[in-house]
Structure formats: structure tokens, C-alpha cells
């Protein structure tokens, strides 16, 4: 099925560990982005990409790295996990950076850092 | 960036219409009005968007005030599966604003059977 696929769905990390959250889309969308959602809050933008090889920071980028080697994939790396990074992470994509088209979101990765 | 204001929560009965309001008094001429919803334990889902005219799709209708300072998402016949948090978001037509979608706290819609 066309859409945004995120893996894993759940993850528990120890403080200081690193990991990569995977995101893949099969809709040929140029624009991809990562958000985090904390309890009772709206989503906040971490990083985004306007195309392969191009990434930039969003509102809350500290502690996270991204890369975009292909149009389809946009992994999010946690370099040294901290309890403050306990959150639900969503990947989203759209055809363009600006304009009317809607975003397609993945189902999320629930991360707990202990 | 232009901001939106929504009620924290609303309650409605199953099979009745639901009108979800959104105020965006500082909207610019190049902002689209987007609505998303987030069901429990799921990612946000695009519902509808509009610029100036009212819009309809299979999920909902969007009514936009003539001065564009407010809009209303209309669910014509609510079901229990429509219980979700609904977000009203402004998205720039062209560059100059913040990247991505700016999510507020949205409206928590409760549907009573």
C-alpha cells in the first residue's frame, strides 16, 4: 500500500545508546520531515528534507541527525539517547515544500529512553 | 507565523453533524487553511484544505469566512470513528514562513453513541 512506513513501532533505549528510526515513502514525494509529539502537545518539527542530498533543521533539532541519500528514505538518528527524547516520533512526506498539497504521516515510533 | 485558535474540546452525538470552528485572524493572503485529525495512537491524517472558497470531499466540508479570518470543518454525520483530535493549520502557498506544519493543541472531539 502506498504511504509512509516507519520502523520500529516501539523501542526502549538506555541513556547514551544510539539508534536509527527508519522512514520510507513510495509516493515519490520530494519533501520529507520528522516530528516529535510529547504528551498533551502538538507535533514539533525536528528536521526536514526538500530532496535527496538536502536536509535542514526544524524547531527542535538538537540530539538528532538526518540524511537523505534517496528520494524514498529519510532516517532519523539519535546519537546519544537522553530521557528527554522519550516521545512519539512521526515521519511525514508531501509532494512539495510549499503549496496546498497535504502531508502523509506514518503511524509513528514510540520511543522510551530509560 | 499566523496562528490558529480552536476550542479545547467538543462533544457531539453519533449520526449528527459536527461543526468544528477555527479562528485565524492574522492569516495572510498566501496561507492555505488545512485540517488534519489524529485518531488515538495514530499519526495525523490529512482531512481537507482550502484557500478562499468552500470545499467538499468524501471526509468533510470546509467553510471559509469571506474575510478568511475563520473557518469551520463540518463532519456531516459523525460516527464513533470520527472521535479524534482535529487540528486547524495554516500552510504557506510559497516560501517565507516556518517550514513544516505548525500544530497547536487542536480540538478533542468526543462522539457519544
Amino acid at each position: 500500500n502506498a504511504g509512509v512506513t516507519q520502523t520500529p513501532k516501539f523501542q526502549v533505549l538506555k541513556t547514551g545508546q544510539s539508534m536509527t528510526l527508519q522512514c520510507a515513502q513510495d509516493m515519490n514525494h520530494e519533501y520529507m520531515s520528522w516530528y516529535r509529539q510529547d504528551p498533551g502537545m502538538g507535533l514539533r518539527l525536528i528536521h526536514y528534507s526538500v530532496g535527496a542530498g538536502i536536509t535542514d533543521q526544524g524547531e527542535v533539532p538538537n540530539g538528532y541527525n538526518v540524511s537523505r541519500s534517496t528520494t524514498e528514505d529519510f532516517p532519523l538518528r539519535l546519537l546519544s539517547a537522553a530521557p528527554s527524547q522519550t516521545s512519539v516520533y512521526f515521519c511525514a512526506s508531501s509532494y512539495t515544500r510549499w503549496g496546498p498539497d497535504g502531508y502523509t504521516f506514518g503511524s509513528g515510533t514510540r520511543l522510551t529512553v530509560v | 507565523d499566523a496562528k490558529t485558535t480552536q476550542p479545547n474540546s467538543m462533544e457531539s452525538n453519533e449520526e449528527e453533524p459536527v461543526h468544528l470552528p477555527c479562528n485565524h485572524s492574522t492569516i495572510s493572503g498566501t496561507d492555505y487553511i488545512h485540517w488534519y485529525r489524529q485518531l488515538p495512537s495514530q499519526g495525523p491524517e490529512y482531512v481537507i484544505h482550502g484557500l478562499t472558497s468552500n470545499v467538499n470531499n468524501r471526509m468533510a466540508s470546509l467553510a471559509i469566512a469571506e474575510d478568511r479570518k475563520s473557518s469551520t470543518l463540518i463532519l456531516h454525520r459523525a460516527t464513533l470513528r470520527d472521535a479524534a483530535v482535529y487540528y486547524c493549520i495554516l500552510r504557506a502557498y510559497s516560501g517565507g514562513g516556518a517550514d513544516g506544519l505548525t500544530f497547536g493543541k487542536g480540538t478533542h472531539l468526543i462522539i457519544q453513541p
Side-chain angles (χ1 to χ4, degrees):
Chain A
N1 291 335
V4 176
T5 302
Q6 289 185 239
T7 57
K9 293 192 181 303
F10 301 94
Q11 183 70 49
V12 179
L13 287 180
K14 293 182 179 179
T15 297
Q17 286 184 319
S18 63
M19 80 159 294
T20 299
L21 280 63
Q22 301 292 343
C23 174
Q25 54 90 10
D26 58 3
M27 298 170 286
N28 203 31
H29 284 174
E30 287 297 319
Y31 188 82
M32 296 186 73
S33 50
W34 277 100
Y35 291 81
R36 62 176 287 173
Q37 184 173 34
D38 300 307
M41 298 182 65
L43 281 71
R44 292 183 293 169
L45 181 65
I46 304 172
H47 284 286
Y48 64 92
S49 169
V50 299
I54 306 170
T55 64
D56 208 342
Q57 297 180 351
E59 179 186 356
V60 289
N62 292 341
Y64 308 95
N65 275 358
V66 292
S67 60
R68 184 99 178 266
S69 57
T70 67
T71 299
E72 294 78 19
D73 300 298
F74 190 45
L76 178 72
R77 280 184 291 277
L78 280 70
L79 305 175
S80 178
S84 61
Q85 293 178 304
T86 294
S87 189
V88 182
Y89 292 84
F90 292 102
C91 180
S93 71
S94 65
Y95 280 110
T96 58
R97 183 180 185 182
W98 308 110
D101 54 292
Y103 283 36
T104 301
F105 284 82
S107 57
T109 295
R110 187 174 297 272
L111 176 68
T112 301
V113 183
V114 298
Chain B
D1 291 330
K3 294 177 66 174
T4 63
T5 304
Q6 300 177 251
N8 289 333
S9 66
M10 290 184 64
E11 198 166 313
S12 182
N13 295 320
E14 196 176 11
E15 299 187 2
E16 290 186 354
V18 179
H19 292 236
L20 295 164
C22 180
N23 288 322
H24 29 77
S25 59
T26 60
I27 189 171
S28 77
T30 56
D31 284 334
Y32 278 86
I33 301 160
H34 279 237
W35 283 82
Y36 287 77
R37 71 180 185 180
Q38 187 172 20
L39 279 64
S41 300
Q42 295 190 28
E45 175 187 25
Y46 165 81
V47 177
I48 199 167
H49 77 271
L51 185 62
T52 57
S53 303
N54 294 345
V55 185
N56 300 300
N57 66 20
R58 63 174 180 81
M59 291 180 68
S61 295
L62 176 60
I64 302 173
E66 198 167 329
D67 63 5
R68 299 208 329 127
K69 294 184 177 182
S70 65
S71 61
T72 302
L73 179 71
I74 302 166
L75 306 179
H76 294 286
R77 195 164 171 266
T79 70
L80 295 177
R81 288 176 295 179
D82 291 319
V85 178
Y86 286 78
Y87 297 97
C88 169
I89 298 171
L90 302 182
R91 184 177 185 199
Y93 179 83
S94 60
D99 256 272
L101 300 175
T102 301
F103 286 80
K105 293 190 175 182
T107 296
H108 183 201
L109 177 63
I110 300 165
I111 304 296
Q112 297 289 355

